[in-house]
PDB file of all heavy atoms in Angstrom:
ATOM      1  N   ASN A1333       6.947 -15.323  14.416  1.00  0.00           N
ATOM      2  CA  ASN A1333       6.928 -14.023  13.776  1.00  0.00           C
ATOM      3  C   ASN A1333       6.897 -14.216  12.266  1.00  0.00           C
ATOM      4  O   ASN A1333       7.258 -15.269  11.763  1.00  0.00           O
ATOM      5  CB  ASN A1333       8.146 -13.190  14.156  1.00  0.00           C
ATOM      6  CG  ASN A1333       8.270 -12.967  15.644  1.00  0.00           C
ATOM      7  OD1 ASN A1333       8.899 -13.747  16.344  1.00  0.00           O
ATOM      8  ND2 ASN A1333       7.658 -11.891  16.125  1.00  0.00           N
ATOM      9  N   SER A1334       6.470 -13.199  11.585  1.00  0.00           N
ATOM     10  CA  SER A1334       6.460 -13.221  10.123  1.00  0.00           C
ATOM     11  C   SER A1334       7.119 -11.950   9.619  1.00  0.00           C
ATOM     12  O   SER A1334       6.541 -11.204   8.828  1.00  0.00           O
ATOM     13  CB  SER A1334       5.027 -13.343   9.601  1.00  0.00           C
ATOM     14  OG  SER A1334       4.428 -14.558  10.006  1.00  0.00           O
ATOM     15  N   VAL A1335       8.327 -11.735  10.070  1.00  0.00           N
ATOM     16  CA  VAL A1335       9.044 -10.512   9.755  1.00  0.00           C
ATOM     17  C   VAL A1335      10.053 -10.751   8.645  1.00  0.00           C
ATOM     18  O   VAL A1335      10.859 -11.671   8.722  1.00  0.00           O
ATOM     19  CB  VAL A1335       9.775  -9.969  10.990  1.00  0.00           C
ATOM     20  CG1 VAL A1335      10.535  -8.694  10.646  1.00  0.00           C
ATOM     21  CG2 VAL A1335       8.785  -9.705  12.113  1.00  0.00           C
ATOM     22  N   THR A1336       9.988  -9.931   7.638  1.00  0.00           N
ATOM     23  CA  THR A1336      10.975  -9.955   6.563  1.00  0.00           C
ATOM     24  C   THR A1336      11.549  -8.565   6.386  1.00  0.00           C
ATOM     25  O   THR A1336      10.856  -7.564   6.578  1.00  0.00           O
ATOM     26  CB  THR A1336      10.381 -10.436   5.230  1.00  0.00           C
ATOM     27  OG1 THR A1336       9.284  -9.596   4.861  1.00  0.00           O
ATOM     28  CG2 THR A1336       9.888 -11.873   5.348  1.00  0.00           C
ATOM     29  N   THR A1337      12.805  -8.510   6.018  1.00  0.00           N
ATOM     30  CA  THR A1337      13.487  -7.242   5.814  1.00  0.00           C
ATOM     31  C   THR A1337      14.290  -7.317   4.528  1.00  0.00           C
ATOM     32  O   THR A1337      14.901  -8.340   4.230  1.00  0.00           O
ATOM     33  CB  THR A1337      14.426  -6.918   6.992  1.00  0.00           C
ATOM     34  OG1 THR A1337      13.684  -6.936   8.218  1.00  0.00           O
ATOM     35  CG2 THR A1337      15.054  -5.541   6.824  1.00  0.00           C
ATOM     36  N   TYR A1338      14.284  -6.220   3.775  1.00  0.00           N
ATOM     37  CA  TYR A1338      14.998  -6.174   2.510  1.00  0.00           C
ATOM     38  C   TYR A1338      15.872  -4.935   2.432  1.00  0.00           C
ATOM     39  O   TYR A1338      15.494  -3.859   2.900  1.00  0.00           O
ATOM     40  CB  TYR A1338      14.025  -6.150   1.331  1.00  0.00           C
ATOM     41  CG  TYR A1338      13.115  -7.344   1.257  1.00  0.00           C
ATOM     42  CD1 TYR A1338      11.874  -7.342   1.883  1.00  0.00           C
ATOM     43  CD2 TYR A1338      13.498  -8.487   0.564  1.00  0.00           C
ATOM     44  CE1 TYR A1338      11.042  -8.448   1.818  1.00  0.00           C
ATOM     45  CE2 TYR A1338      12.669  -9.591   0.500  1.00  0.00           C
ATOM     46  CZ  TYR A1338      11.440  -9.566   1.124  1.00  0.00           C
ATOM     47  OH  TYR A1338      10.614 -10.661   1.059  1.00  0.00           O
ATOM     48  N   ASP A1339      17.014  -5.110   1.820  1.00  0.00           N
ATOM     49  CA  ASP A1339      17.816  -3.954   1.502  1.00  0.00           C
ATOM     50  C   ASP A1339      17.087  -3.138   0.437  1.00  0.00           C
ATOM     51  O   ASP A1339      16.386  -3.695  -0.411  1.00  0.00           O
ATOM     52  CB  ASP A1339      19.191  -4.379   0.988  1.00  0.00           C
ATOM     53  CG  ASP A1339      20.095  -3.201   0.716  1.00  0.00           C
ATOM     54  OD1 ASP A1339      20.638  -2.625   1.670  1.00  0.00           O
ATOM     55  OD2 ASP A1339      20.255  -2.855  -0.478  1.00  0.00           O
ATOM     56  N   ASP A1340      17.254  -1.827   0.487  1.00  0.00           N
ATOM     57  CA  ASP A1340      16.560  -0.963  -0.465  1.00  0.00           C
ATOM     58  C   ASP A1340      16.881  -1.300  -1.924  1.00  0.00           C
ATOM     59  O   ASP A1340      16.053  -1.087  -2.806  1.00  0.00           O
ATOM     60  CB  ASP A1340      16.899   0.507  -0.198  1.00  0.00           C
ATOM     61  CG  ASP A1340      16.230   1.042   1.053  1.00  0.00           C
ATOM     62  OD1 ASP A1340      15.246   0.425   1.506  1.00  0.00           O
ATOM     63  OD2 ASP A1340      16.685   2.075   1.566  1.00  0.00           O
ATOM     64  N   SER A1341      18.056  -1.822  -2.159  1.00  0.00           N
ATOM     65  CA  SER A1341      18.467  -2.121  -3.522  1.00  0.00           C
ATOM     66  C   SER A1341      17.676  -3.264  -4.152  1.00  0.00           C
ATOM     67  O   SER A1341      17.654  -3.400  -5.376  1.00  0.00           O
ATOM     68  CB  SER A1341      19.964  -2.449  -3.572  1.00  0.00           C
ATOM     69  OG  SER A1341      20.252  -3.647  -2.876  1.00  0.00           O
ATOM     70  N   VAL A1342      17.034  -4.085  -3.325  1.00  0.00           N
ATOM     71  CA  VAL A1342      16.291  -5.237  -3.841  1.00  0.00           C
ATOM     72  C   VAL A1342      14.813  -5.189  -3.480  1.00  0.00           C
ATOM     73  O   VAL A1342      14.036  -6.036  -3.953  1.00  0.00           O
ATOM     74  CB  VAL A1342      16.893  -6.567  -3.349  1.00  0.00           C
ATOM     75  CG1 VAL A1342      18.368  -6.647  -3.701  1.00  0.00           C
ATOM     76  CG2 VAL A1342      16.692  -6.736  -1.849  1.00  0.00           C
ATOM     77  N   LYS A1343      14.412  -4.234  -2.690  1.00  0.00           N
ATOM     78  CA  LYS A1343      13.027  -4.130  -2.253  1.00  0.00           C
ATOM     79  C   LYS A1343      12.092  -3.995  -3.456  1.00  0.00           C
ATOM     80  O   LYS A1343      12.318  -3.189  -4.348  1.00  0.00           O
ATOM     81  CB  LYS A1343      12.866  -2.939  -1.316  1.00  0.00           C
ATOM     82  CG  LYS A1343      11.551  -2.893  -0.563  1.00  0.00           C
ATOM     83  CD  LYS A1343      11.571  -1.787   0.489  1.00  0.00           C
ATOM     84  CE  LYS A1343      12.647  -2.036   1.534  1.00  0.00           C
ATOM     85  NZ  LYS A1343      12.658  -0.983   2.584  1.00  0.00           N
ATOM     86  N   GLY A1344      11.051  -4.805  -3.454  1.00  0.00           N
ATOM     87  CA  GLY A1344      10.106  -4.798  -4.557  1.00  0.00           C
ATOM     88  C   GLY A1344      10.462  -5.754  -5.667  1.00  0.00           C
ATOM     89  O   GLY A1344       9.633  -6.030  -6.541  1.00  0.00           O
ATOM     90  N   ARG A1345      11.696  -6.272  -5.643  1.00  0.00           N
ATOM     91  CA  ARG A1345      12.137  -7.199  -6.677  1.00  0.00           C
ATOM     92  C   ARG A1345      12.417  -8.597  -6.117  1.00  0.00           C
ATOM     93  O   ARG A1345      12.210  -9.587  -6.800  1.00  0.00           O
ATOM     94  CB  ARG A1345      13.399  -6.683  -7.363  1.00  0.00           C
ATOM     95  CG  ARG A1345      13.221  -5.342  -8.060  1.00  0.00           C
ATOM     96  CD  ARG A1345      14.447  -4.987  -8.891  1.00  0.00           C
ATOM     97  NE  ARG A1345      15.643  -4.840  -8.070  1.00  0.00           N
ATOM     98  CZ  ARG A1345      16.736  -5.582  -8.186  1.00  0.00           C
ATOM     99  NH1 ARG A1345      16.804  -6.534  -9.112  1.00  0.00           N
ATOM    100  NH2 ARG A1345      17.792  -5.362  -7.401  1.00  0.00           N
ATOM    101  N   PHE A1346      12.901  -8.658  -4.891  1.00  0.00           N
ATOM    102  CA  PHE A1346      13.241  -9.931  -4.261  1.00  0.00           C
ATOM    103  C   PHE A1346      12.219 -10.268  -3.185  1.00  0.00           C
ATOM    104  O   PHE A1346      11.681  -9.377  -2.521  1.00  0.00           O
ATOM    105  CB  PHE A1346      14.624  -9.868  -3.606  1.00  0.00           C
ATOM    106  CG  PHE A1346      15.783  -9.791  -4.562  1.00  0.00           C
ATOM    107  CD1 PHE A1346      15.599  -9.522  -5.912  1.00  0.00           C
ATOM    108  CD2 PHE A1346      17.075  -9.984  -4.095  1.00  0.00           C
ATOM    109  CE1 PHE A1346      16.668  -9.443  -6.785  1.00  0.00           C
ATOM    110  CE2 PHE A1346      18.158  -9.910  -4.955  1.00  0.00           C
ATOM    111  CZ  PHE A1346      17.955  -9.637  -6.299  1.00  0.00           C
ATOM    112  N   THR A1347      11.975 -11.551  -2.996  1.00  0.00           N
ATOM    113  CA  THR A1347      11.067 -12.022  -1.965  1.00  0.00           C
ATOM    114  C   THR A1347      11.688 -13.194  -1.226  1.00  0.00           C
ATOM    115  O   THR A1347      12.111 -14.168  -1.845  1.00  0.00           O
ATOM    116  CB  THR A1347       9.714 -12.458  -2.557  1.00  0.00           C
ATOM    117  OG1 THR A1347       9.113 -11.369  -3.261  1.00  0.00           O
ATOM    118  CG2 THR A1347       8.771 -12.900  -1.438  1.00  0.00           C
ATOM    119  N   ILE A1348      11.741 -13.097   0.098  1.00  0.00           N
ATOM    120  CA  ILE A1348      12.262 -14.181   0.916  1.00  0.00           C
ATOM    121  C   ILE A1348      11.093 -14.915   1.573  1.00  0.00           C
ATOM    122  O   ILE A1348      10.127 -14.295   2.015  1.00  0.00           O
ATOM    123  CB  ILE A1348      13.264 -13.655   1.969  1.00  0.00           C
ATOM    124  CG1 ILE A1348      13.966 -14.817   2.680  1.00  0.00           C
ATOM    125  CG2 ILE A1348      12.586 -12.725   2.963  1.00  0.00           C
ATOM    126  CD1 ILE A1348      15.130 -14.367   3.556  1.00  0.00           C
ATOM    127  N   SER A1349      11.180 -16.222   1.626  1.00  0.00           N
ATOM    128  CA  SER A1349      10.122 -17.032   2.218  1.00  0.00           C
ATOM    129  C   SER A1349      10.718 -18.278   2.861  1.00  0.00           C
ATOM    130  O   SER A1349      11.895 -18.590   2.654  1.00  0.00           O
ATOM    131  CB  SER A1349       9.073 -17.418   1.168  1.00  0.00           C
ATOM    132  OG  SER A1349       9.649 -18.190   0.133  1.00  0.00           O
ATOM    133  N   ARG A1350       9.908 -18.988   3.628  1.00  0.00           N
ATOM    134  CA  ARG A1350      10.378 -20.181   4.321  1.00  0.00           C
ATOM    135  C   ARG A1350       9.396 -21.329   4.153  1.00  0.00           C
ATOM    136  O   ARG A1350       8.197 -21.136   3.955  1.00  0.00           O
ATOM    137  CB  ARG A1350      10.585 -19.880   5.805  1.00  0.00           C
ATOM    138  CG  ARG A1350       9.311 -19.439   6.520  1.00  0.00           C
ATOM    139  CD  ARG A1350       9.604 -18.799   7.854  1.00  0.00           C
ATOM    140  NE  ARG A1350       8.387 -18.274   8.466  1.00  0.00           N
ATOM    141  CZ  ARG A1350       8.353 -17.415   9.465  1.00  0.00           C
ATOM    142  NH1 ARG A1350       9.494 -16.968   9.993  1.00  0.00           N
ATOM    143  NH2 ARG A1350       7.196 -16.990   9.955  1.00  0.00           N
ATOM    144  N   ASP A1351       9.905 -22.527   4.246  1.00  0.00           N
ATOM    145  CA  ASP A1351       9.105 -23.741   4.179  1.00  0.00           C
ATOM    146  C   ASP A1351       9.621 -24.659   5.278  1.00  0.00           C
ATOM    147  O   ASP A1351      10.659 -25.309   5.124  1.00  0.00           O
ATOM    148  CB  ASP A1351       9.229 -24.399   2.807  1.00  0.00           C
ATOM    149  CG  ASP A1351       8.316 -25.604   2.637  1.00  0.00           C
ATOM    150  OD1 ASP A1351       7.916 -26.211   3.645  1.00  0.00           O
ATOM    151  OD2 ASP A1351       8.004 -25.944   1.479  1.00  0.00           O
ATOM    152  N   TYR A1352       8.910 -24.712   6.392  1.00  0.00           N
ATOM    153  CA  TYR A1352       9.372 -25.494   7.533  1.00  0.00           C
ATOM    154  C   TYR A1352       9.401 -26.990   7.243  1.00  0.00           C
ATOM    155  O   TYR A1352      10.249 -27.707   7.774  1.00  0.00           O
ATOM    156  CB  TYR A1352       8.494 -25.214   8.746  1.00  0.00           C
ATOM    157  CG  TYR A1352       8.662 -23.830   9.312  1.00  0.00           C
ATOM    158  CD1 TYR A1352       7.557 -23.034   9.595  1.00  0.00           C
ATOM    159  CD2 TYR A1352       9.932 -23.311   9.575  1.00  0.00           C
ATOM    160  CE1 TYR A1352       7.708 -21.764  10.116  1.00  0.00           C
ATOM    161  CE2 TYR A1352      10.092 -22.048  10.089  1.00  0.00           C
ATOM    162  CZ  TYR A1352       8.974 -21.274  10.362  1.00  0.00           C
ATOM    163  OH  TYR A1352       9.132 -20.012  10.881  1.00  0.00           O
ATOM    164  N   ALA A1353       8.481 -27.463   6.430  1.00  0.00           N
ATOM    165  CA  ALA A1353       8.435 -28.882   6.105  1.00  0.00           C
ATOM    166  C   ALA A1353       9.700 -29.324   5.385  1.00  0.00           C
ATOM    167  O   ALA A1353      10.154 -30.456   5.536  1.00  0.00           O
ATOM    168  CB  ALA A1353       7.207 -29.200   5.261  1.00  0.00           C
ATOM    169  N   LYS A1354      10.272 -28.429   4.605  1.00  0.00           N
ATOM    170  CA  LYS A1354      11.486 -28.736   3.848  1.00  0.00           C
ATOM    171  C   LYS A1354      12.736 -28.134   4.470  1.00  0.00           C
ATOM    172  O   LYS A1354      13.828 -28.280   3.929  1.00  0.00           O
ATOM    173  CB  LYS A1354      11.344 -28.245   2.412  1.00  0.00           C
ATOM    174  CG  LYS A1354      10.222 -28.908   1.632  1.00  0.00           C
ATOM    175  CD  LYS A1354      10.145 -28.358   0.218  1.00  0.00           C
ATOM    176  CE  LYS A1354       9.042 -29.038  -0.571  1.00  0.00           C
ATOM    177  NZ  LYS A1354       8.947 -28.505  -1.953  1.00  0.00           N
ATOM    178  N   ASN A1355      12.563 -27.444   5.605  1.00  0.00           N
ATOM    179  CA  ASN A1355      13.683 -26.773   6.265  1.00  0.00           C
ATOM    180  C   ASN A1355      14.443 -25.877   5.288  1.00  0.00           C
ATOM    181  O   ASN A1355      15.674 -25.821   5.284  1.00  0.00           O
ATOM    182  CB  ASN A1355      14.640 -27.789   6.891  1.00  0.00           C
ATOM    183  CG  ASN A1355      14.606 -27.754   8.412  1.00  0.00           C
ATOM    184  OD1 ASN A1355      13.549 -27.554   9.018  1.00  0.00           O
ATOM    185  ND2 ASN A1355      15.762 -27.953   9.032  1.00  0.00           N
ATOM    186  N   THR A1356      13.679 -25.163   4.487  1.00  0.00           N
ATOM    187  CA  THR A1356      14.256 -24.401   3.394  1.00  0.00           C
ATOM    188  C   THR A1356      13.797 -22.950   3.396  1.00  0.00           C
ATOM    189  O   THR A1356      12.630 -22.661   3.643  1.00  0.00           O
ATOM    190  CB  THR A1356      13.885 -25.044   2.044  1.00  0.00           C
ATOM    191  OG1 THR A1356      14.415 -26.367   1.989  1.00  0.00           O
ATOM    192  CG2 THR A1356      14.447 -24.235   0.883  1.00  0.00           C
ATOM    193  N   VAL A1357      14.729 -22.067   3.106  1.00  0.00           N
ATOM    194  CA  VAL A1357      14.429 -20.658   2.888  1.00  0.00           C
ATOM    195  C   VAL A1357      14.737 -20.342   1.435  1.00  0.00           C
ATOM    196  O   VAL A1357      15.779 -20.742   0.912  1.00  0.00           O
ATOM    197  CB  VAL A1357      15.247 -19.749   3.818  1.00  0.00           C
ATOM    198  CG1 VAL A1357      15.077 -18.279   3.433  1.00  0.00           C
ATOM    199  CG2 VAL A1357      14.801 -19.954   5.260  1.00  0.00           C
ATOM    200  N   THR A1358      13.833 -19.635   0.800  1.00  0.00           N
ATOM    201  CA  THR A1358      13.965 -19.332  -0.618  1.00  0.00           C
ATOM    202  C   THR A1358      14.071 -17.832  -0.839  1.00  0.00           C
ATOM    203  O   THR A1358      13.409 -17.045  -0.159  1.00  0.00           O
ATOM    204  CB  THR A1358      12.761 -19.879  -1.399  1.00  0.00           C
ATOM    205  OG1 THR A1358      12.712 -21.304  -1.266  1.00  0.00           O
ATOM    206  CG2 THR A1358      12.860 -19.527  -2.873  1.00  0.00           C
ATOM    207  N   LEU A1359      14.904 -17.452  -1.774  1.00  0.00           N
ATOM    208  CA  LEU A1359      14.993 -16.066  -2.202  1.00  0.00           C
ATOM    209  C   LEU A1359      14.595 -16.019  -3.672  1.00  0.00           C
ATOM    210  O   LEU A1359      15.332 -16.500  -4.529  1.00  0.00           O
ATOM    211  CB  LEU A1359      16.408 -15.519  -2.018  1.00  0.00           C
ATOM    212  CG  LEU A1359      16.591 -14.040  -2.366  1.00  0.00           C
ATOM    213  CD1 LEU A1359      15.854 -13.159  -1.357  1.00  0.00           C
ATOM    214  CD2 LEU A1359      18.073 -13.671  -2.408  1.00  0.00           C
ATOM    215  N   GLU A1360      13.422 -15.465  -3.932  1.00  0.00           N
ATOM    216  CA  GLU A1360      12.945 -15.319  -5.298  1.00  0.00           C
ATOM    217  C   GLU A1360      13.374 -13.950  -5.818  1.00  0.00           C
ATOM    218  O   GLU A1360      13.036 -12.928  -5.228  1.00  0.00           O
ATOM    219  CB  GLU A1360      11.428 -15.468  -5.352  1.00  0.00           C
ATOM    220  CG  GLU A1360      10.930 -16.841  -4.923  1.00  0.00           C
ATOM    221  CD  GLU A1360       9.426 -16.962  -4.951  1.00  0.00           C
ATOM    222  OE1 GLU A1360       8.747 -16.004  -5.388  1.00  0.00           O
ATOM    223  OE2 GLU A1360       8.908 -18.017  -4.538  1.00  0.00           O
ATOM    224  N   MET A1361      14.101 -13.963  -6.897  1.00  0.00           N
ATOM    225  CA  MET A1361      14.642 -12.740  -7.458  1.00  0.00           C
ATOM    226  C   MET A1361      14.024 -12.487  -8.829  1.00  0.00           C
ATOM    227  O   MET A1361      14.064 -13.357  -9.693  1.00  0.00           O
ATOM    228  CB  MET A1361      16.165 -12.833  -7.578  1.00  0.00           C
ATOM    229  CG  MET A1361      16.860 -13.196  -6.269  1.00  0.00           C
ATOM    230  SD  MET A1361      18.669 -13.245  -6.418  1.00  0.00           S
ATOM    231  CE  MET A1361      18.855 -14.646  -7.530  1.00  0.00           C
ATOM    232  N   THR A1362      13.476 -11.301  -9.006  1.00  0.00           N
ATOM    233  CA  THR A1362      12.877 -10.915 -10.274  1.00  0.00           C
ATOM    234  C   THR A1362      13.463  -9.587 -10.722  1.00  0.00           C
ATOM    235  O   THR A1362      14.110  -8.888  -9.958  1.00  0.00           O
ATOM    236  CB  THR A1362      11.349 -10.796 -10.167  1.00  0.00           C
ATOM    237  OG1 THR A1362      11.006  -9.755  -9.242  1.00  0.00           O
ATOM    238  CG2 THR A1362      10.728 -12.099  -9.698  1.00  0.00           C
ATOM    239  N   SER A1363      13.207  -9.253 -11.980  1.00  0.00           N
ATOM    240  CA  SER A1363      13.717  -8.007 -12.555  1.00  0.00           C
ATOM    241  C   SER A1363      15.197  -7.834 -12.258  1.00  0.00           C
ATOM    242  O   SER A1363      15.652  -6.761 -11.849  1.00  0.00           O
ATOM    243  CB  SER A1363      12.922  -6.810 -12.016  1.00  0.00           C
ATOM    244  OG  SER A1363      11.551  -6.930 -12.324  1.00  0.00           O
ATOM    245  N   LEU A1364      15.943  -8.881 -12.479  1.00  0.00           N
ATOM    246  CA  LEU A1364      17.356  -8.878 -12.134  1.00  0.00           C
ATOM    247  C   LEU A1364      18.147  -7.865 -12.945  1.00  0.00           C
ATOM    248  O   LEU A1364      17.886  -7.649 -14.128  1.00  0.00           O
ATOM    249  CB  LEU A1364      17.940 -10.271 -12.322  1.00  0.00           C
ATOM    250  CG  LEU A1364      17.587 -11.256 -11.205  1.00  0.00           C
ATOM    251  CD1 LEU A1364      17.832 -12.685 -11.652  1.00  0.00           C
ATOM    252  CD2 LEU A1364      18.397 -10.942  -9.958  1.00  0.00           C
ATOM    253  N   LYS A1365      19.120  -7.268 -12.277  1.00  0.00           N
ATOM    254  CA  LYS A1365      19.987  -6.278 -12.873  1.00  0.00           C
ATOM    255  C   LYS A1365      21.416  -6.801 -12.882  1.00  0.00           C
ATOM    256  O   LYS A1365      21.774  -7.660 -12.088  1.00  0.00           O
ATOM    257  CB  LYS A1365      19.926  -4.966 -12.086  1.00  0.00           C
ATOM    258  CG  LYS A1365      18.536  -4.395 -11.911  1.00  0.00           C
ATOM    259  CD  LYS A1365      18.559  -3.179 -10.998  1.00  0.00           C
ATOM    260  CE  LYS A1365      17.175  -2.609 -10.808  1.00  0.00           C
ATOM    261  NZ  LYS A1365      17.195  -1.430  -9.885  1.00  0.00           N
ATOM    262  N   VAL A1366      22.221  -6.255 -13.760  1.00  0.00           N
ATOM    263  CA  VAL A1366      23.618  -6.658 -13.834  1.00  0.00           C
ATOM    264  C   VAL A1366      24.296  -6.481 -12.478  1.00  0.00           C
ATOM    265  O   VAL A1366      25.114  -7.315 -12.072  1.00  0.00           O
ATOM    266  CB  VAL A1366      24.366  -5.864 -14.919  1.00  0.00           C
ATOM    267  CG1 VAL A1366      25.860  -6.159 -14.876  1.00  0.00           C
ATOM    268  CG2 VAL A1366      23.808  -6.196 -16.290  1.00  0.00           C
ATOM    269  N   GLU A1367      23.949  -5.422 -11.773  1.00  0.00           N
ATOM    270  CA  GLU A1367      24.562  -5.161 -10.483  1.00  0.00           C
ATOM    271  C   GLU A1367      24.141  -6.132  -9.384  1.00  0.00           C
ATOM    272  O   GLU A1367      24.672  -6.090  -8.274  1.00  0.00           O
ATOM    273  CB  GLU A1367      24.290  -3.718 -10.026  1.00  0.00           C
ATOM    274  CG  GLU A1367      22.821  -3.326 -10.062  1.00  0.00           C
ATOM    275  CD  GLU A1367      22.445  -2.576 -11.321  1.00  0.00           C
ATOM    276  OE1 GLU A1367      22.884  -2.990 -12.414  1.00  0.00           O
ATOM    277  OE2 GLU A1367      21.724  -1.564 -11.216  1.00  0.00           O
ATOM    278  N   ASP A1368      23.189  -7.006  -9.683  1.00  0.00           N
ATOM    279  CA  ASP A1368      22.817  -8.053  -8.744  1.00  0.00           C
ATOM    280  C   ASP A1368      23.797  -9.221  -8.789  1.00  0.00           C
ATOM    281  O   ASP A1368      23.744 -10.104  -7.933  1.00  0.00           O
ATOM    282  CB  ASP A1368      21.409  -8.576  -9.031  1.00  0.00           C
ATOM    283  CG  ASP A1368      20.325  -7.560  -8.742  1.00  0.00           C
ATOM    284  OD1 ASP A1368      20.437  -6.836  -7.729  1.00  0.00           O
ATOM    285  OD2 ASP A1368      19.357  -7.497  -9.518  1.00  0.00           O
ATOM    286  N   SER A1369      24.660  -9.243  -9.779  1.00  0.00           N
ATOM    287  CA  SER A1369      25.628 -10.323  -9.914  1.00  0.00           C
ATOM    288  C   SER A1369      26.543 -10.379  -8.693  1.00  0.00           C
ATOM    289  O   SER A1369      27.115  -9.365  -8.291  1.00  0.00           O
ATOM    290  CB  SER A1369      26.466 -10.136 -11.174  1.00  0.00           C
ATOM    291  OG  SER A1369      25.673 -10.193 -12.339  1.00  0.00           O
TER     292      SER A1369
END
């Protein structure tokens, strides 16, 4: 599957992805806000 889900507070700003070769999941965060702390 290629299903991703985001909370409304981060939708459009955060991106989750996976890399099976590295067994790694990444969360790319942009347009960060103080409340993201």
Side-chain angles (χ1 to χ4, degrees):
N1333 302 90
S1334 297
V1335 179
T1336 58
T1337 304
Y1338 300 91
D1339 183 77
D1340 287 341
S1341 66
V1342 305
K1343 192 172 298 181
R1345 299 188 298 119
F1346 290 13
T1347 302
I1348 189 170
S1349 61
R1350 61 196 175 196
D1351 185 337
Y1352 291 131
K1354 298 180 179 180
N1355 249 37
T1356 299
V1357 171
T1358 298
L1359 183 68
E1360 297 179 5
M1361 306 182 294
T1362 63
S1363 301
L1364 283 163
K1365 305 174 180 179
V1366 173
E1367 52 263 43
D1368 292 320
S1369 297

